[in-house]
Amino acid sequence: MTLFGYDQGVFGGVIVTQDFLDTLGLAGPSHTGTVGTVTALYDVGCFFGAVAAFSIGERLGRKKAILVGTTVMSIGAILQISAYSTAQMIVGRIVAGLGNGLNTATAPVWQAETSKANWRGKLVVIEMILNIAGFSLSNWITYGFSYANGPIAWRFPLAFQFIFIFILYGTVPWLPESPRWLMAHGKIDEAEQIIADLEATTINDPYVITESKEIQWAVEYEKSHAVSWWDLLRGKTGRAGTCTIRRLLLGAGTQAMQQLSGINVTSYYLPTVLIQSVGLEEKLARLLAACNSVSYLAFSLIGIPNVERWGRRKLMMYAAAGQGFCYLFITVLLRYSEKPGYTATKEVASASVAFFFLYYVFFGIGWQGVPWLYPTEINSLSMRTKGAAIGTASNWAFNYMVVEITPIGIQSLHWQFYIIWTVFNLSFVPVVYFLYPETSQRSLEDIDRLFRDDQRILIFRNKDAIASRRPAAYIEHHEREIRRNSSVISTNPASVQERLKAMAKANEEGGYSHEEKI
């Protein structure tokens, strides 16, 4: 994810480098649309990479899929670093996007399948914080190299991503494969050993036996209830679980809303925004973009303890409201900065910078991590991998749209361009409140039960659907399963009691320790 963040942020600094624009023949206002297209085509590659992840990830496994994606990204990076024409840069952007799309569709699923329910949200937030760390580093590197002359000012920042590529090659082969994927391919003994290792226990532990049985049941369920892409497009999902299409749309909706919040207006183009909309000079715009990335990183740390404590719904609603008001103030301030005859144009334009910073604070706390987590949680067992792929593809499709229109939007609409993002962000609050159930501290079976028992689209009146903590009925069901399987291993009753005591203590503290049901 650090590689993802770096790759996402570095191009924003590259496209305001004069040598880059001169080398590729993109200098001048007449080429603004082309610059936007070159930037946005990366997201087209990401879209198709995310779609391909379903097939590649299921055939090769999560680890090999990440390594394939990293290799494809390496090829794309080499093409960009060595580019002397717009055509080669476009090809490099698309190829790099294919690899990144494959990685970003695979990594959240892999992590969800190897983590406990009470750590699932925290780990995805940590994953996104590493993404921000890469984004921040890219801003500082492009700022530092803006003082260099010639092609090194943009070729070196593009080449620096190989540091993260080499780290991935050196670490991924040593990480555990997904137990779910292993069992789906008949490698049950290896999967049980991984579950035991993750729990720091033995394969004879009743907890491991329970998890193994449930994973095997889920795998068989998926095979018998599988839905083809063609049937999915035609709405024929009768055997796939409860409310299948609705759950796919909810998962994809979080990813779409993340992009429609306007994050990539600034992630890709913050130096451009500060130069063209605020009127800052290039070096100061780069410096502020780099400082903003540090603030973004620092405040994103708030999401780690609170993604489970506050839940997904509250984080999304509070953050969307904050983001909306930030864009509202940006709109008003830039309106007065462009108003003919207004005496304090420079002052109000400078004041808008504070709200760009504050926007990142809200986004980092709420909308940075949750949209990547939610599709892996909300979808039914038989649709999880497809749901994650559709969600990630949705992210990249809307990402492309935002990145494509931003340069022209700023140039043509000026301050009015920011009204769009104000309206979108404020509209997300009622959308999440009325439509989105809570997934924090739930197993996948819990969520299946929710949609089975209550199929109303408007869920805000269902207390079990919106509660931040796991409903007591779901906890009691899992404890019964542990006790039932403990009869299989009667030689070590103490370990069973210790496990149940730990679960009870965690429930009292609001941090349920049940491992996710896959």
Side-chain angles (χ1 to χ4, degrees):
M1 279 298 174
T2 309
L3 172 61
F4 169 29
Y6 185 90
D7 212 36
Q8 187 178 36
V10 70
F11 215 67
V14 166
I15 60 175
V16 293
T17 303
Q18 194 60 45
D19 185 81
F20 168 83
L21 297 172
D22 292 339
T23 301
L24 272 63
L26 297 174
S30 61
H31 293 97
T32 300
T34 306
V35 171
T37 299
V38 172
T39 306
L41 283 173
Y42 173 78
D43 301 313
V44 174
C46 289
F47 172 83
F48 288 106
V51 172
F54 171 73
S55 176
I56 294 173
E58 286 302 311
R59 291 180 184 179
L60 300 181
R62 313 305 186 219
K63 290 169 59 174
K64 290 181 180 178
I66 292 289
L67 292 173
V68 169
T70 304
T71 302
V72 175
M73 286 189 76
S74 303
I75 297 169
I78 291 170
L79 289 170
Q80 292 178 75
I81 295 162
S82 60
Y84 278 92
S85 67
T86 302
Q88 182 175 336
M89 180 59 70
I90 286 174
V91 173
R93 295 286 291 167
I94 293 173
V95 172
L98 286 169
N100 189 53
L102 178 56
N103 283 357
T104 54
T106 303
V109 175
W110 185 19
Q111 185 157 283
E113 291 176 343
T114 53
S115 60
K116 296 181 180 181
N118 68 312
W119 268 96
R120 188 173 60 223
K122 295 175 185 176
L123 289 173
V124 170
V125 171
I126 291 171
E127 200 173 22
M128 291 299 109
I129 287 172
L130 293 174
N131 173 286
I132 299 169
F135 173 77
S136 178
L137 181 61
S138 72
N139 277 274
W140 284 107
I141 287 179
T142 54
Y143 171 66
F145 275 85
S146 69
Y147 289 91
N149 296 318
I152 193 174
W154 60 276
R155 294 190 193 274
F156 181 88
L158 288 174
F160 191 83
Q161 62 189 287
F162 273 97
I163 297 293
F164 307 111
I165 289 171
F166 293 147
I167 291 173
L168 282 173
Y169 281 134
T171 56
V172 170
W174 302 98
L175 297 175
E177 182 55 89
S178 160
R180 177 201 171 283
W181 184 85
L182 289 169
M183 288 192 180
H185 290 78
K187 301 178 181 180
I188 295 173
D189 291 342
E190 185 179 349
E192 289 179 341
Q193 186 60 58
I194 288 174
I195 295 171
D197 291 342
L198 291 172
E199 283 291 316
T201 185
T202 66
I203 60 173
N204 293 324
D205 189 301
Y207 194 82
V208 175
I209 294 171
T210 301
E211 294 301 299
S212 177
K213 286 182 177 180
E214 291 181 350
I215 293 172
Q216 290 179 62
W217 176 87
V219 167
E220 291 302 316
Y221 181 90
E222 286 191 36
K223 289 179 179 178
S224 60
H225 292 75
V227 178
S228 69
W229 286 105
W230 175 241
D231 285 341
L232 187 61
L233 290 172
R234 293 186 296 167
K236 294 184 177 182
T237 59
R239 298 189 305 156
T242 307
C243 304
T244 301
I245 295 293
R246 176 182 160 199
R247 292 162 76 173
L248 285 170
L249 292 174
L250 287 172
T254 59
Q255 294 277 27
M257 286 189 287
Q258 184 194 57
Q259 294 307 311
L260 293 175
S261 72
I263 182 59
N264 280 316
V265 171
T266 51
S267 287
Y268 279 84
Y269 295 116
L270 187 55
T272 302
V273 168
L274 295 178
I275 292 168
Q276 294 187 13
S277 292
V278 182
L280 303 180
E281 60 95 19
E282 182 200 329
K283 292 292 191 297
L284 180 57
R286 288 178 181 270
L287 177 59
L288 286 174
C291 291
N292 173 68
S293 68
V294 176
S295 170
Y296 183 24
L297 176 61
F299 281 96
S300 295
L301 297 173
I302 296 174
I304 296 176
N306 293 315
V307 68
E308 299 295 345
R309 185 182 305 164
W310 295 346
R312 322 301 189 230
R313 282 168 48 86
K314 289 179 181 177
L315 279 179
M316 289 193 287
M317 286 189 291
Y318 295 160
Q323 292 163 197
F325 283 110
C326 286
Y327 263 121
L328 177 61
F329 280 106
I330 289 169
T331 302
V332 173
L333 291 168
L334 292 182
R335 165 68 181 92
Y336 280 96
S337 75
E338 297 176 14
K339 186 177 181 180
Y342 189 72
T343 57
T345 56
K346 186 176 181 180
E347 287 78 6
V348 293
S350 298
S352 70
V353 175
F355 290 98
F356 282 111
F357 273 61
L358 187 58
Y359 169 85
Y360 272 90
V361 170
F362 286 113
F363 184 87
I365 294 171
W367 282 92
Q368 172 67 9
V370 173
W372 292 96
L373 172 64
Y374 203 84
T376 67
E377 297 180 315
I378 196 66
N379 285 293
S380 61
L381 294 170
S382 62
M383 297 301 295
R384 163 186 271 185
T385 309
K386 282 188 175 75
I390 290 172
T392 307
S394 172
N395 181 288
W396 291 117
F398 283 93
N399 193 328
Y400 169 76
M401 181 194 74
V402 172
V403 175
E404 176 71 27
I405 68 173
T406 293
I408 294 295
I410 293 172
Q411 184 176 311
S412 304
L413 299 176
H414 304 288
W415 65 270
Q416 297 172 81
F417 181 66
Y418 301 99
I419 296 175
I420 299 169
W421 317 112
T422 303
V423 173
F424 272 131
N425 278 288
L426 294 178
S427 70
F428 296 157
V429 178
V431 168
V432 173
Y433 178 77
F434 287 111
L435 301 180
Y436 277 78
E438 184 58 69
T439 59
S440 173
Q441 301 184 35
R442 271 76 160 173
S443 70
L444 295 182
E445 287 78 12
D446 293 344
I447 297 167
D448 275 339
R449 179 182 300 180
L450 169 65
F451 282 99
R452 205 166 45 238
D453 295 344
D454 186 354
Q455 299 189 10
R456 291 176 295 178
I457 294 176
L458 300 178
I459 52 82
F460 67 100
R461 289 193 178 94
N462 185 331
K463 292 183 179 180
D464 284 348
I466 64 175
S468 297
R469 292 191 177 186
R470 192 180 189 218
Y474 301 161
I475 298 172
E476 292 169 2
H477 172 76
H478 185 250
E479 290 180 350
R480 284 197 301 271
E481 287 298 304
I482 294 291
R483 290 190 179 95
R484 185 173 64 83
N485 284 306
S486 68
S487 63
V488 178
I489 306 295
S490 57
T491 57
N492 191 16
S495 67
V496 180
Q497 293 303 316
E498 287 297 320
R499 178 78 67 180
L500 292 172
K501 287 178 183 178
M503 289 169 60
K505 182 179 179 182
N507 288 329
E508 291 173 2
E509 296 173 353
Y512 180 63
S513 63
H514 161 56
E515 171 138 320
E516 181 191 7
K517 309 287 181 44
I518 300 171

